[in-house]
């Protein structure tokens, strides 16, 4: 259990990498963001379909995959999608992840196109953007933390690619928070720590989720959870990561990175 928590903390801590990139130098351009988001989507899609969903079906089948176990896993997969869709609809537009990319791109474009000092109104708008993004990402990271924790409890072979997928996903999230906050406040320290704290929502989600659902995480129930987690990751990739990557205007960078993310996870799983 301690190892599972540490792996979840590691995945959530990857937001600090994105934050560090944002505050220590360049590397926050549209192509970089598109590549990071596309890579994350590729990793998450591949892990979901090749690792989590088949593993869930195997657990539900009692070892060797059966049509009955596969059918239940597929049902849990779409149940996971339905749950995350419902949660997504319940989140107000003001803090919806769908609102991230457009605002941040606008802030970023202003920062790159204009080399003069921002006026008070612009700084206030950028600070609001970074703060809202941080809140939304923190809320969004809670179920991701639980998903990582559950995968780590199941086995290291499953946990490693999931942790890698979530960590890659969190790097551009750190950028998304730190870029506008740094621009608005001029403080690298504030931008870094605000972005880092969004990632800490993942170990919090792991602890809270496990405390509430621990009695259910045994036997076949674990297979259902793994399949549902796969559904959640697929939805996040298609509904959040890829659209945000496309909105940067770097279509090919997003798609090439998506394929690279799949290849990266394929190689990782082959080594494991």
């Amino acid at each position: 259990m301690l190892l599972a928590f540490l792996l979840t903390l590691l995945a959530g801590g990857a937001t600090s990498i994105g934050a560090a990139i944002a505050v220590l130098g360049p590397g926050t351009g549209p192509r970089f963001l598109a590549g990071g988001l596309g890579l994350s989507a590729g990793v998450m899609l591949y892990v979901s379909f090749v690792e989590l969903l088949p593993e869930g079906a195997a657990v539900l089948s009692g070892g060797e995959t059966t049509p009955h176990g596969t059918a239940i896993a597929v049902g849990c997969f779409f149940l996971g999608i339905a749950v995350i869709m419902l949660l997504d609809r319940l989140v107000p537009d003001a803090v919806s992840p769908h609102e991230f990319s457009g605002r941040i791109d606008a802030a970023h474009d202003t920062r790159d196109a204009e080399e003069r000092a921002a006026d008070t109104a612009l700084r206030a708008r950028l600070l609001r953007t970074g703060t809202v993004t941080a809140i939304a990402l923190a809320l969004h990271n809670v179920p991701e933390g639980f998903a990582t924790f559950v995968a780590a409890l199941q086995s290291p072979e499953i946990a490693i690619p999931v942790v890698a997928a979530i960590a890659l996903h969190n790097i551009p999230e750190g950028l998304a928070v730190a870029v506008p906050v740094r621009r608005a406040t001029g403080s690298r320290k504030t931008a870094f720590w605000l972005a880092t704290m969004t990632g800490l929502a993942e170990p919090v989600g792991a602890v809270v989720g496990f405390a509430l659902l621990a009695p259910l995480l045994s036997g076949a129930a674990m297979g259902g959870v793994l399949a549902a987690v796969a559904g959640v990751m697929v939805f996040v990739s298609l509904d959040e990561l890829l659209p945000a990557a496309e909105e940067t205007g770097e279509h090919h960078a997003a798609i090439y990175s998506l394929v690279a993310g799949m290849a990266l996870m394929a190689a990782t799983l082959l080594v494991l």
Side-chain angles (χ1 to χ4, degrees), residues 38-231:
L39 188 74
S40 300
V43 166
M44 294 177 76
L45 288 170
Y46 193 90
V47 167
S48 296
F49 286 120
V50 176
E51 189 74 5
L52 292 181
L53 186 56
E55 180 66 19
V59 172
L60 286 164
S61 300
E64 185 175 347
T65 303
T66 64
H68 179 69
T70 300
I72 297 176
V74 169
C76 291
F77 173 82
F78 285 105
L79 178 62
I81 292 178
V83 170
I84 195 66
M85 285 177 63
L86 178 61
L87 292 175
D88 186 63
R89 297 294 296 176
L90 292 176
V91 174
D93 288 342
V95 294
S96 173
H98 298 156
E99 303 300 318
F100 298 168
S101 58
R103 293 181 193 169
I104 292 171
D105 287 342
H108 173 78
D109 291 343
T110 301
R111 177 174 173 261
D112 278 358
E114 304 292 338
E115 294 296 333
R116 63 182 184 276
D119 59 22
T120 303
L122 176 59
R123 288 180 178 272
R125 181 168 62 85
L126 291 177
L127 182 59
R128 186 167 57 251
T129 294
T131 303
V132 167
T133 300
I135 293 171
L137 285 174
L139 293 173
H140 192 65
N141 284 343
V142 169
E144 286 184 3
F146 179 63
T148 306
F149 189 75
V150 168
L153 283 179
Q154 180 67 9
S155 71
E157 290 77 10
I158 294 177
I160 291 174
V162 171
V163 168
I166 297 296
L168 285 171
H169 167 49
N170 284 342
I171 291 174
E173 288 189 354
L175 279 165
V177 175
V179 168
V181 172
R182 176 187 173 183
R183 177 70 175 85
T185 65
S187 170
R188 297 170 185 250
K189 183 177 180 180
T190 299
F192 178 82
W193 286 112
L194 183 60
T196 296
M197 290 186 67
T198 66
L200 295 181
E202 294 201 358
V204 171
V207 172
V208 173
F210 183 78
L212 296 175
L213 301 175
L216 302 177
L217 298 180
S218 61
M222 179 65 79
V225 170
L226 290 174
V229 167

